[in-house]
Structure formats: structure tokens, C-alpha cells
PDB file of all heavy atoms in Angstrom:
ATOM      1  N   LEU A   1      -7.796 -40.350 -28.162  1.00 96.00           N
ATOM      2  CA  LEU A   1      -8.548 -41.134 -27.180  1.00 96.00           C
ATOM      3  C   LEU A   1     -10.056 -40.952 -27.374  1.00 96.00           C
ATOM      4  O   LEU A   1     -10.838 -41.871 -27.116  1.00 96.00           O
ATOM      5  CB  LEU A   1      -8.151 -40.723 -25.762  1.00 96.00           C
ATOM      6  CG  LEU A   1      -6.752 -41.128 -25.293  1.00 96.00           C
ATOM      7  CD1 LEU A   1      -6.471 -40.535 -23.920  1.00 96.00           C
ATOM      8  CD2 LEU A   1      -6.593 -42.645 -25.270  1.00 96.00           C
ATOM      9  N   GLU A   2     -10.441 -39.775 -27.843  1.00 96.00           N
ATOM     10  CA  GLU A   2     -11.860 -39.485 -28.024  1.00 96.00           C
ATOM     11  C   GLU A   2     -12.428 -40.140 -29.284  1.00 96.00           C
ATOM     12  O   GLU A   2     -13.619 -40.499 -29.327  1.00 96.00           O
ATOM     13  CB  GLU A   2     -12.089 -37.972 -28.078  1.00 96.00           C
ATOM     14  CG  GLU A   2     -11.853 -37.251 -26.752  1.00 96.00           C
ATOM     15  CD  GLU A   2     -10.373 -37.159 -26.385  1.00 96.00           C
ATOM     16  OE1 GLU A   2      -9.536 -37.144 -27.324  1.00 96.00           O
ATOM     17  OE2 GLU A   2     -10.070 -37.120 -25.181  1.00 96.00           O
ATOM     18  N   THR A   3     -11.613 -40.284 -30.330  1.00 96.00           N
ATOM     19  CA  THR A   3     -12.137 -40.792 -31.601  1.00 96.00           C
ATOM     20  C   THR A   3     -11.991 -42.301 -31.762  1.00 96.00           C
ATOM     21  O   THR A   3     -12.591 -42.887 -32.652  1.00 96.00           O
ATOM     22  CB  THR A   3     -11.434 -40.101 -32.786  1.00 96.00           C
ATOM     23  OG1 THR A   3     -10.019 -40.342 -32.729  1.00 96.00           O
ATOM     24  CG2 THR A   3     -11.693 -38.604 -32.761  1.00 96.00           C
ATOM     25  N   LEU A   4     -11.216 -42.954 -30.913  1.00 97.00           N
ATOM     26  CA  LEU A   4     -11.089 -44.404 -31.002  1.00 97.00           C
ATOM     27  C   LEU A   4     -12.365 -45.086 -30.525  1.00 97.00           C
ATOM     28  O   LEU A   4     -12.961 -44.672 -29.523  1.00 97.00           O
ATOM     29  CB  LEU A   4      -9.924 -44.892 -30.150  1.00 97.00           C
ATOM     30  CG  LEU A   4      -8.552 -44.980 -30.810  1.00 97.00           C
ATOM     31  CD1 LEU A   4      -7.506 -45.332 -29.760  1.00 97.00           C
ATOM     32  CD2 LEU A   4      -8.535 -46.011 -31.937  1.00 97.00           C
ATOM     33  N   PRO A   5     -12.801 -46.150 -31.211  1.00 96.00           N
ATOM     34  CA  PRO A   5     -13.960 -46.917 -30.718  1.00 96.00           C
ATOM     35  C   PRO A   5     -13.653 -47.527 -29.349  1.00 96.00           C
ATOM     36  O   PRO A   5     -12.505 -47.872 -29.051  1.00 96.00           O
ATOM     37  CB  PRO A   5     -14.136 -48.011 -31.777  1.00 96.00           C
ATOM     38  CG  PRO A   5     -13.412 -47.519 -32.979  1.00 96.00           C
ATOM     39  CD  PRO A   5     -12.276 -46.678 -32.474  1.00 96.00           C
ATOM     40  N   LYS A   6     -14.693 -47.657 -28.555  1.00 96.00           N
ATOM     41  CA  LYS A   6     -14.533 -48.249 -27.234  1.00 96.00           C
ATOM     42  C   LYS A   6     -14.521 -49.778 -27.353  1.00 96.00           C
ATOM     43  O   LYS A   6     -15.351 -50.363 -28.053  1.00 96.00           O
ATOM     44  CB  LYS A   6     -15.658 -47.811 -26.304  1.00 96.00           C
ATOM     45  CG  LYS A   6     -15.706 -46.309 -26.074  1.00 96.00           C
ATOM     46  CD  LYS A   6     -14.437 -45.826 -25.382  1.00 96.00           C
ATOM     47  CE  LYS A   6     -14.522 -44.339 -25.041  1.00 96.00           C
ATOM     48  NZ  LYS A   6     -14.363 -43.499 -26.269  1.00 96.00           N
ATOM     49  N   PRO A   7     -13.579 -50.457 -26.683  1.00 97.00           N
ATOM     50  CA  PRO A   7     -13.540 -51.926 -26.743  1.00 97.00           C
ATOM     51  C   PRO A   7     -14.776 -52.542 -26.124  1.00 97.00           C
ATOM     52  O   PRO A   7     -15.310 -52.048 -25.127  1.00 97.00           O
ATOM     53  CB  PRO A   7     -12.285 -52.280 -25.930  1.00 97.00           C
ATOM     54  CG  PRO A   7     -11.486 -51.019 -25.857  1.00 97.00           C
ATOM     55  CD  PRO A   7     -12.476 -49.901 -25.881  1.00 97.00           C
ATOM     56  N   ALA A   8     -15.236 -53.643 -26.715  1.00 96.00           N
ATOM     57  CA  ALA A   8     -16.343 -54.402 -26.130  1.00 96.00           C
ATOM     58  C   ALA A   8     -15.829 -55.392 -25.093  1.00 96.00           C
ATOM     59  O   ALA A   8     -16.547 -55.766 -24.167  1.00 96.00           O
ATOM     60  CB  ALA A   8     -17.109 -55.138 -27.224  1.00 96.00           C
ATOM     61  N   ASN A   9     -14.592 -55.842 -25.265  1.00 96.00           N
ATOM     62  CA  ASN A   9     -13.959 -56.794 -24.348  1.00 96.00           C
ATOM     63  C   ASN A   9     -13.286 -56.025 -23.220  1.00 96.00           C
ATOM     64  O   ASN A   9     -12.420 -55.186 -23.456  1.00 96.00           O
ATOM     65  CB  ASN A   9     -12.933 -57.630 -25.119  1.00 96.00           C
ATOM     66  CG  ASN A   9     -12.333 -58.736 -24.280  1.00 96.00           C
ATOM     67  OD1 ASN A   9     -12.308 -58.676 -23.052  1.00 96.00           O
ATOM     68  ND2 ASN A   9     -11.839 -59.780 -24.944  1.00 96.00           N
ATOM     69  N   ALA A  10     -13.684 -56.305 -21.989  1.00 95.00           N
ATOM     70  CA  ALA A  10     -13.139 -55.580 -20.846  1.00 95.00           C
ATOM     71  C   ALA A  10     -11.646 -55.819 -20.661  1.00 95.00           C
ATOM     72  O   ALA A  10     -10.975 -55.043 -19.969  1.00 95.00           O
ATOM     73  CB  ALA A  10     -13.889 -55.982 -19.575  1.00 95.00           C
ATOM     74  N   ASP A  11     -11.119 -56.888 -21.255  1.00 96.00           N
ATOM     75  CA  ASP A  11      -9.684 -57.150 -21.140  1.00 96.00           C
ATOM     76  C   ASP A  11      -8.846 -56.163 -21.934  1.00 96.00           C
ATOM     77  O   ASP A  11      -7.655 -55.970 -21.654  1.00 96.00           O
ATOM     78  CB  ASP A  11      -9.360 -58.565 -21.650  1.00 96.00           C
ATOM     79  CG  ASP A  11      -9.762 -59.642 -20.662  1.00 96.00           C
ATOM     80  OD1 ASP A  11     -10.141 -59.282 -19.528  1.00 96.00           O
ATOM     81  OD2 ASP A  11      -9.704 -60.829 -21.025  1.00 96.00           O
ATOM     82  N   VAL A  12      -9.427 -55.560 -22.964  1.00 98.00           N
ATOM     83  CA  VAL A  12      -8.698 -54.649 -23.841  1.00 98.00           C
ATOM     84  C   VAL A  12      -8.750 -53.241 -23.254  1.00 98.00           C
ATOM     85  O   VAL A  12      -9.826 -52.702 -22.998  1.00 98.00           O
ATOM     86  CB  VAL A  12      -9.274 -54.651 -25.264  1.00 98.00           C
ATOM     87  CG1 VAL A  12      -8.538 -53.640 -26.144  1.00 98.00           C
ATOM     88  CG2 VAL A  12      -9.180 -56.044 -25.863  1.00 98.00           C
ATOM     89  N   ARG A  13      -7.582 -52.662 -23.018  1.00 97.00           N
ATOM     90  CA  ARG A  13      -7.491 -51.316 -22.466  1.00 97.00           C
ATOM     91  C   ARG A  13      -6.933 -50.360 -23.522  1.00 97.00           C
ATOM     92  O   ARG A  13      -6.022 -50.733 -24.274  1.00 97.00           O
ATOM     93  CB  ARG A  13      -6.572 -51.297 -21.237  1.00 97.00           C
ATOM     94  CG  ARG A  13      -6.961 -52.291 -20.151  1.00 97.00           C
ATOM     95  CD  ARG A  13      -6.005 -52.230 -18.976  1.00 97.00           C
ATOM     96  NE  ARG A  13      -4.635 -52.549 -19.336  1.00 97.00           N
ATOM     97  CZ  ARG A  13      -4.137 -53.794 -19.382  1.00 97.00           C
ATOM     98  NH1 ARG A  13      -4.913 -54.834 -19.094  1.00 97.00           N
ATOM     99  NH2 ARG A  13      -2.875 -54.003 -19.706  1.00 97.00           N
ATOM    100  N   ILE A  14      -7.431 -49.135 -23.549  1.00 97.00           N
ATOM    101  CA  ILE A  14      -6.883 -48.080 -24.392  1.00 97.00           C
ATOM    102  C   ILE A  14      -6.098 -47.146 -23.479  1.00 97.00           C
ATOM    103  O   ILE A  14      -6.605 -46.667 -22.471  1.00 97.00           O
ATOM    104  CB  ILE A  14      -7.992 -47.296 -25.124  1.00 97.00           C
ATOM    105  CG1 ILE A  14      -8.877 -48.252 -25.923  1.00 97.00           C
ATOM    106  CG2 ILE A  14      -7.375 -46.247 -26.038  1.00 97.00           C
ATOM    107  CD1 ILE A  14      -8.139 -49.036 -26.991  1.00 97.00           C
ATOM    108  N   ALA A  15      -4.838 -46.902 -23.825  1.00 97.00           N
ATOM    109  CA  ALA A  15      -3.973 -46.106 -22.959  1.00 97.00           C
ATOM    110  C   ALA A  15      -3.066 -45.218 -23.802  1.00 97.00           C
ATOM    111  O   ALA A  15      -2.885 -45.441 -25.002  1.00 97.00           O
ATOM    112  CB  ALA A  15      -3.124 -47.029 -22.069  1.00 97.00           C
ATOM    113  N   THR A  16      -2.496 -44.220 -23.161  1.00 97.00           N
ATOM    114  CA  THR A  16      -1.509 -43.357 -23.804  1.00 97.00           C
ATOM    115  C   THR A  16      -0.124 -43.753 -23.329  1.00 97.00           C
ATOM    116  O   THR A  16       0.143 -43.772 -22.121  1.00 97.00           O
ATOM    117  CB  THR A  16      -1.761 -41.878 -23.467  1.00 97.00           C
ATOM    118  OG1 THR A  16      -3.050 -41.497 -23.951  1.00 97.00           O
ATOM    119  CG2 THR A  16      -0.708 -40.988 -24.121  1.00 97.00           C
ATOM    120  N   ALA A  17       0.743 -44.096 -24.267  1.00 96.00           N
ATOM    121  CA  ALA A  17       2.146 -44.383 -23.951  1.00 96.00           C
ATOM    122  C   ALA A  17       2.911 -43.072 -24.045  1.00 96.00           C
ATOM    123  O   ALA A  17       2.883 -42.417 -25.094  1.00 96.00           O
ATOM    124  CB  ALA A  17       2.716 -45.408 -24.924  1.00 96.00           C
ATOM    125  N   PRO A  18       3.588 -42.648 -22.995  1.00 97.00           N
ATOM    126  CA  PRO A  18       4.252 -41.341 -23.018  1.00 97.00           C
ATOM    127  C   PRO A  18       5.442 -41.314 -23.966  1.00 97.00           C
ATOM    128  O   PRO A  18       5.994 -42.357 -24.333  1.00 97.00           O
ATOM    129  CB  PRO A  18       4.697 -41.152 -21.567  1.00 97.00           C
ATOM    130  CG  PRO A  18       4.852 -42.545 -21.035  1.00 97.00           C
ATOM    131  CD  PRO A  18       3.783 -43.352 -21.721  1.00 97.00           C
ATOM    132  N   ALA A  19       5.834 -40.110 -24.353  1.00 98.00           N
ATOM    133  CA  ALA A  19       7.051 -39.949 -25.146  1.00 98.00           C
ATOM    134  C   ALA A  19       8.234 -40.499 -24.362  1.00 98.00           C
ATOM    135  O   ALA A  19       8.293 -40.366 -23.129  1.00 98.00           O
ATOM    136  CB  ALA A  19       7.262 -38.477 -25.478  1.00 98.00           C
ATOM    137  N   THR A  20       9.171 -41.129 -25.059  1.00 97.00           N
ATOM    138  CA  THR A  20      10.291 -41.759 -24.367  1.00 97.00           C
ATOM    139  C   THR A  20      11.500 -41.880 -25.281  1.00 97.00           C
ATOM    140  O   THR A  20      11.380 -41.802 -26.503  1.00 97.00           O
ATOM    141  CB  THR A  20       9.892 -43.164 -23.857  1.00 97.00           C
ATOM    142  OG1 THR A  20      10.922 -43.690 -23.031  1.00 97.00           O
ATOM    143  CG2 THR A  20       9.648 -44.112 -25.028  1.00 97.00           C
ATOM    144  N   ARG A  21      12.658 -42.039 -24.681  1.00 98.00           N
ATOM    145  CA  ARG A  21      13.894 -42.345 -25.419  1.00 98.00           C
ATOM    146  C   ARG A  21      14.182 -43.834 -25.241  1.00 98.00           C
ATOM    147  O   ARG A  21      14.148 -44.360 -24.119  1.00 98.00           O
ATOM    148  CB  ARG A  21      15.054 -41.500 -24.917  1.00 98.00           C
ATOM    149  CG  ARG A  21      16.396 -41.850 -25.536  1.00 98.00           C
ATOM    150  CD  ARG A  21      17.412 -40.735 -25.394  1.00 98.00           C
ATOM    151  NE  ARG A  21      17.061 -39.608 -26.265  1.00 98.00           N
ATOM    152  CZ  ARG A  21      17.838 -38.542 -26.456  1.00 98.00           C
ATOM    153  NH1 ARG A  21      18.994 -38.445 -25.839  1.00 98.00           N
ATOM    154  NH2 ARG A  21      17.454 -37.561 -27.257  1.00 98.00           N
ATOM    155  N   ARG A  22      14.489 -44.515 -26.346  1.00 98.00           N
ATOM    156  CA  ARG A  22      14.703 -45.955 -26.307  1.00 98.00           C
ATOM    157  C   ARG A  22      15.984 -46.334 -27.029  1.00 98.00           C
ATOM    158  O   ARG A  22      16.307 -45.778 -28.080  1.00 98.00           O
ATOM    159  CB  ARG A  22      13.545 -46.704 -26.975  1.00 98.00           C
ATOM    160  CG  ARG A  22      12.273 -46.719 -26.180  1.00 98.00           C
ATOM    161  CD  ARG A  22      11.164 -47.415 -26.925  1.00 98.00           C
ATOM    162  NE  ARG A  22       9.952 -47.488 -26.112  1.00 98.00           N
ATOM    163  CZ  ARG A  22       8.747 -47.694 -26.599  1.00 98.00           C
ATOM    164  NH1 ARG A  22       8.584 -47.847 -27.909  1.00 98.00           N
ATOM    165  NH2 ARG A  22       7.695 -47.745 -25.808  1.00 98.00           N
ATOM    166  N   ALA A  23      16.665 -47.316 -26.473  1.00 98.00           N
ATOM    167  CA  ALA A  23      17.738 -48.002 -27.190  1.00 98.00           C
ATOM    168  C   ALA A  23      17.120 -49.245 -27.808  1.00 98.00           C
ATOM    169  O   ALA A  23      16.364 -49.963 -27.150  1.00 98.00           O
ATOM    170  CB  ALA A  23      18.861 -48.381 -26.237  1.00 98.00           C
ATOM    171  N   ALA A  24      17.422 -49.487 -29.085  1.00 98.00           N
ATOM    172  CA  ALA A  24      16.796 -50.607 -29.804  1.00 98.00           C
ATOM    173  C   ALA A  24      17.829 -51.335 -30.638  1.00 98.00           C
ATOM    174  O   ALA A  24      18.726 -50.710 -31.226  1.00 98.00           O
ATOM    175  CB  ALA A  24      15.676 -50.095 -30.704  1.00 98.00           C
ATOM    176  N   ILE A  25      17.709 -52.662 -30.687  1.00 98.00           N
ATOM    177  CA  ILE A  25      18.551 -53.476 -31.565  1.00 98.00           C
ATOM    178  C   ILE A  25      17.631 -54.250 -32.504  1.00 98.00           C
ATOM    179  O   ILE A  25      16.649 -54.840 -32.075  1.00 98.00           O
ATOM    180  CB  ILE A  25      19.474 -54.419 -30.764  1.00 98.00           C
ATOM    181  CG1 ILE A  25      20.429 -55.158 -31.703  1.00 98.00           C
ATOM    182  CG2 ILE A  25      18.691 -55.388 -29.897  1.00 98.00           C
ATOM    183  CD1 ILE A  25      21.564 -55.881 -30.974  1.00 98.00           C
ATOM    184  N   ARG A  26      17.958 -54.224 -33.780  1.00 98.00           N
ATOM    185  CA  ARG A  26      17.124 -54.842 -34.815  1.00 98.00           C
ATOM    186  C   ARG A  26      17.784 -56.131 -35.286  1.00 98.00           C
ATOM    187  O   ARG A  26      19.007 -56.178 -35.472  1.00 98.00           O
ATOM    188  CB  ARG A  26      16.966 -53.871 -35.977  1.00 98.00           C
ATOM    189  CG  ARG A  26      16.169 -54.379 -37.157  1.00 98.00           C
ATOM    190  CD  ARG A  26      15.946 -53.252 -38.147  1.00 98.00           C
ATOM    191  NE  ARG A  26      15.279 -53.689 -39.355  1.00 98.00           N
ATOM    192  CZ  ARG A  26      14.770 -52.864 -40.268  1.00 98.00           C
ATOM    193  NH1 ARG A  26      14.872 -51.547 -40.086  1.00 98.00           N
ATOM    194  NH2 ARG A  26      14.167 -53.332 -41.342  1.00 98.00           N
ATOM    195  N   PHE A  27      16.951 -57.167 -35.514  1.00 98.00           N
ATOM    196  CA  PHE A  27      17.488 -58.424 -36.030  1.00 98.00           C
ATOM    197  C   PHE A  27      16.431 -59.134 -36.851  1.00 98.00           C
ATOM    198  O   PHE A  27      15.228 -58.931 -36.675  1.00 98.00           O
ATOM    199  CB  PHE A  27      18.003 -59.323 -34.896  1.00 98.00           C
ATOM    200  CG  PHE A  27      16.954 -59.786 -33.915  1.00 98.00           C
ATOM    201  CD1 PHE A  27      16.436 -61.074 -33.983  1.00 98.00           C
ATOM    202  CD2 PHE A  27      16.502 -58.946 -32.911  1.00 98.00           C
ATOM    203  CE1 PHE A  27      15.478 -61.508 -33.072  1.00 98.00           C
ATOM    204  CE2 PHE A  27      15.544 -59.368 -31.990  1.00 98.00           C
ATOM    205  CZ  PHE A  27      15.027 -60.653 -32.078  1.00 98.00           C
ATOM    206  N   SER A  28      16.881 -59.969 -37.766  1.00 97.00           N
ATOM    207  CA  SER A  28      15.979 -60.720 -38.628  1.00 97.00           C
ATOM    208  C   SER A  28      15.858 -62.153 -38.108  1.00 97.00           C
ATOM    209  O   SER A  28      16.435 -62.505 -37.073  1.00 97.00           O
ATOM    210  CB  SER A  28      16.483 -60.714 -40.075  1.00 97.00           C
ATOM    211  OG  SER A  28      17.773 -61.295 -40.155  1.00 97.00           O
ATOM    212  N   GLY A  29      15.136 -62.976 -38.850  1.00 97.00           N
ATOM    213  CA  GLY A  29      14.926 -64.349 -38.429  1.00 97.00           C
ATOM    214  C   GLY A  29      13.732 -64.460 -37.509  1.00 97.00           C
ATOM    215  O   GLY A  29      12.988 -63.507 -37.295  1.00 97.00           O
ATOM    216  N   TYR A  30      13.544 -65.649 -36.943  1.00 96.00           N
ATOM    217  CA  TYR A  30      12.426 -65.881 -36.048  1.00 96.00           C
ATOM    218  C   TYR A  30      12.806 -65.488 -34.626  1.00 96.00           C
ATOM    219  O   TYR A  30      13.930 -65.756 -34.176  1.00 96.00           O
ATOM    220  CB  TYR A  30      11.981 -67.336 -36.120  1.00 96.00           C
ATOM    221  CG  TYR A  30      11.324 -67.657 -37.446  1.00 96.00           C
ATOM    222  CD1 TYR A  30      12.051 -68.230 -38.491  1.00 96.00           C
ATOM    223  CD2 TYR A  30       9.985 -67.348 -37.663  1.00 96.00           C
ATOM    224  CE1 TYR A  30      11.455 -68.492 -39.717  1.00 96.00           C
ATOM    225  CE2 TYR A  30       9.378 -67.615 -38.881  1.00 96.00           C
ATOM    226  CZ  TYR A  30      10.118 -68.176 -39.909  1.00 96.00           C
ATOM    227  OH  TYR A  30       9.530 -68.425 -41.123  1.00 96.00           O
ATOM    228  N   ALA A  31      11.866 -64.854 -33.929  1.00 97.00           N
ATOM    229  CA  ALA A  31      12.143 -64.326 -32.585  1.00 97.00           C
ATOM    230  C   ALA A  31      11.990 -65.433 -31.550  1.00 97.00           C
ATOM    231  O   ALA A  31      11.028 -65.480 -30.785  1.00 97.00           O
ATOM    232  CB  ALA A  31      11.204 -63.164 -32.284  1.00 97.00           C
ATOM    233  N   THR A  32      12.959 -66.323 -31.502  1.00 97.00           N
ATOM    234  CA  THR A  32      12.971 -67.381 -30.498  1.00 97.00           C
ATOM    235  C   THR A  32      13.499 -66.810 -29.185  1.00 97.00           C
ATOM    236  O   THR A  32      14.114 -65.739 -29.147  1.00 97.00           O
ATOM    237  CB  THR A  32      13.866 -68.537 -30.940  1.00 97.00           C
ATOM    238  OG1 THR A  32      15.218 -68.049 -31.073  1.00 97.00           O
ATOM    239  CG2 THR A  32      13.410 -69.106 -32.288  1.00 97.00           C
ATOM    240  N   ASP A  33      13.279 -67.532 -28.096  1.00 97.00           N
ATOM    241  CA  ASP A  33      13.807 -67.086 -26.812  1.00 97.00           C
ATOM    242  C   ASP A  33      15.324 -66.942 -26.858  1.00 97.00           C
ATOM    243  O   ASP A  33      15.886 -65.988 -26.307  1.00 97.00           O
ATOM    244  CB  ASP A  33      13.414 -68.069 -25.709  1.00 97.00           C
ATOM    245  CG  ASP A  33      11.929 -67.993 -25.358  1.00 97.00           C
ATOM    246  OD1 ASP A  33      11.289 -66.972 -25.685  1.00 97.00           O
ATOM    247  OD2 ASP A  33      11.414 -68.966 -24.765  1.00 97.00           O
ATOM    248  N   ALA A  34      15.997 -67.882 -27.525  1.00 98.00           N
ATOM    249  CA  ALA A  34      17.460 -67.828 -27.600  1.00 98.00           C
ATOM    250  C   ALA A  34      17.923 -66.612 -28.393  1.00 98.00           C
ATOM    251  O   ALA A  34      18.866 -65.917 -27.988  1.00 98.00           O
ATOM    252  CB  ALA A  34      17.999 -69.109 -28.236  1.00 98.00           C
ATOM    253  N   ALA A  35      17.265 -66.339 -29.520  1.00 98.00           N
ATOM    254  CA  ALA A  35      17.649 -65.188 -30.335  1.00 98.00           C
ATOM    255  C   ALA A  35      17.413 -63.886 -29.587  1.00 98.00           C
ATOM    256  O   ALA A  35      18.245 -62.966 -29.614  1.00 98.00           O
ATOM    257  CB  ALA A  35      16.874 -65.200 -31.647  1.00 98.00           C
ATOM    258  N   ILE A  36      16.290 -63.796 -28.893  1.00 98.00           N
ATOM    259  CA  ILE A  36      15.980 -62.584 -28.134  1.00 98.00           C
ATOM    260  C   ILE A  36      16.996 -62.382 -27.011  1.00 98.00           C
ATOM    261  O   ILE A  36      17.477 -61.267 -26.781  1.00 98.00           O
ATOM    262  CB  ILE A  36      14.547 -62.656 -27.585  1.00 98.00           C
ATOM    263  CG1 ILE A  36      13.546 -62.454 -28.729  1.00 98.00           C
ATOM    264  CG2 ILE A  36      14.326 -61.628 -26.485  1.00 98.00           C
ATOM    265  CD1 ILE A  36      12.105 -62.628 -28.323  1.00 98.00           C
ATOM    266  N   ALA A  37      17.335 -63.447 -26.290  1.00 97.00           N
ATOM    267  CA  ALA A  37      18.307 -63.339 -25.201  1.00 97.00           C
ATOM    268  C   ALA A  37      19.664 -62.870 -25.714  1.00 97.00           C
ATOM    269  O   ALA A  37      20.334 -62.035 -25.089  1.00 97.00           O
ATOM    270  CB  ALA A  37      18.441 -64.683 -24.489  1.00 97.00           C
ATOM    271  N   GLU A  38      20.076 -63.380 -26.869  1.00 98.00           N
ATOM    272  CA  GLU A  38      21.358 -62.972 -27.451  1.00 98.00           C
ATOM    273  C   GLU A  38      21.350 -61.488 -27.815  1.00 98.00           C
ATOM    274  O   GLU A  38      22.300 -60.754 -27.513  1.00 98.00           O
ATOM    275  CB  GLU A  38      21.646 -63.808 -28.689  1.00 98.00           C
ATOM    276  CG  GLU A  38      22.948 -63.452 -29.380  1.00 98.00           C
ATOM    277  CD  GLU A  38      23.198 -64.285 -30.626  1.00 98.00           C
ATOM    278  OE1 GLU A  38      22.375 -65.176 -30.925  1.00 98.00           O
ATOM    279  OE2 GLU A  38      24.201 -64.038 -31.313  1.00 98.00           O
ATOM    280  N   GLN A  39      20.271 -61.048 -28.454  1.00 98.00           N
ATOM    281  CA  GLN A  39      20.190 -59.647 -28.856  1.00 98.00           C
ATOM    282  C   GLN A  39      20.043 -58.724 -27.645  1.00 98.00           C
ATOM    283  O   GLN A  39      20.620 -57.631 -27.617  1.00 98.00           O
ATOM    284  CB  GLN A  39      19.002 -59.454 -29.810  1.00 98.00           C
ATOM    285  CG  GLN A  39      19.093 -60.242 -31.103  1.00 98.00           C
ATOM    286  CD  GLN A  39      20.279 -59.834 -31.948  1.00 98.00           C
ATOM    287  OE1 GLN A  39      20.658 -58.665 -31.995  1.00 98.00           O
ATOM    288  NE2 GLN A  39      20.888 -60.807 -32.616  1.00 98.00           N
ATOM    289  N   GLU A  40      19.314 -59.153 -26.649  1.00 98.00           N
ATOM    290  CA  GLU A  40      19.145 -58.345 -25.439  1.00 98.00           C
ATOM    291  C   GLU A  40      20.481 -58.150 -24.729  1.00 98.00           C
ATOM    292  O   GLU A  40      20.795 -57.045 -24.264  1.00 98.00           O
ATOM    293  CB  GLU A  40      18.140 -59.013 -24.513  1.00 98.00           C
ATOM    294  CG  GLU A  40      17.744 -58.171 -23.317  1.00 98.00           C
ATOM    295  CD  GLU A  40      16.574 -58.764 -22.561  1.00 98.00           C
ATOM    296  OE1 GLU A  40      15.727 -59.435 -23.189  1.00 98.00           O
ATOM    297  OE2 GLU A  40      16.511 -58.544 -21.336  1.00 98.00           O
ATOM    298  N   ALA A  41      21.295 -59.202 -24.676  1.00 98.00           N
ATOM    299  CA  ALA A  41      22.617 -59.091 -24.045  1.00 98.00           C
ATOM    300  C   ALA A  41      23.506 -58.120 -24.825  1.00 98.00           C
ATOM    301  O   ALA A  41      24.227 -57.307 -24.224  1.00 98.00           O
ATOM    302  CB  ALA A  41      23.265 -60.469 -23.965  1.00 98.00           C
ATOM    303  N   ALA A  42      23.454 -58.194 -26.157  1.00 98.00           N
ATOM    304  CA  ALA A  42      24.261 -57.286 -26.977  1.00 98.00           C
ATOM    305  C   ALA A  42      23.819 -55.843 -26.777  1.00 98.00           C
ATOM    306  O   ALA A  42      24.655 -54.924 -26.690  1.00 98.00           O
ATOM    307  CB  ALA A  42      24.153 -57.687 -28.446  1.00 98.00           C
TER     308      ALA A  42
END
């Protein structure tokens, strides 16, 4: 956090994402809404 340059645009925030456990599904192709919904359900 100390060595990163400070954003000039106030919309851009620098934050720390905490350590976490995640379930993830990987897929190829274009990430359309339909493809994402199918993978999210699976």
C-alpha cells in the first residue's frame, strides 16, 4: 500500500482484499450472460 502510486482519479480506490477460500469454476469461450449463468448454476 505504501509503494503503490496514488491514483489521480478519485473514482479509483486502492484496497486490500483479505485472504479467503473460494470455490471456482473455469470455462473457455466468450463470457456471455448465458454462459456465466450456466457455469454459476453448476
Side-chain angles (χ1 to χ4, degrees):
L1 289 175
E2 291 72 28
T3 59
L4 270 174
K6 299 297 185 286
N9 186 336
D11 284 352
V12 177
R13 305 179 299 274
I14 305 299
T16 299
T20 188
R21 174 161 289 187
R22 287 177 177 161
I25 185 168
R26 178 173 175 168
F27 63 102
S28 60
Y30 290 96
T32 62
D33 288 341
I36 287 175
E38 179 181 358
Q39 298 297 324
E40 188 170 330

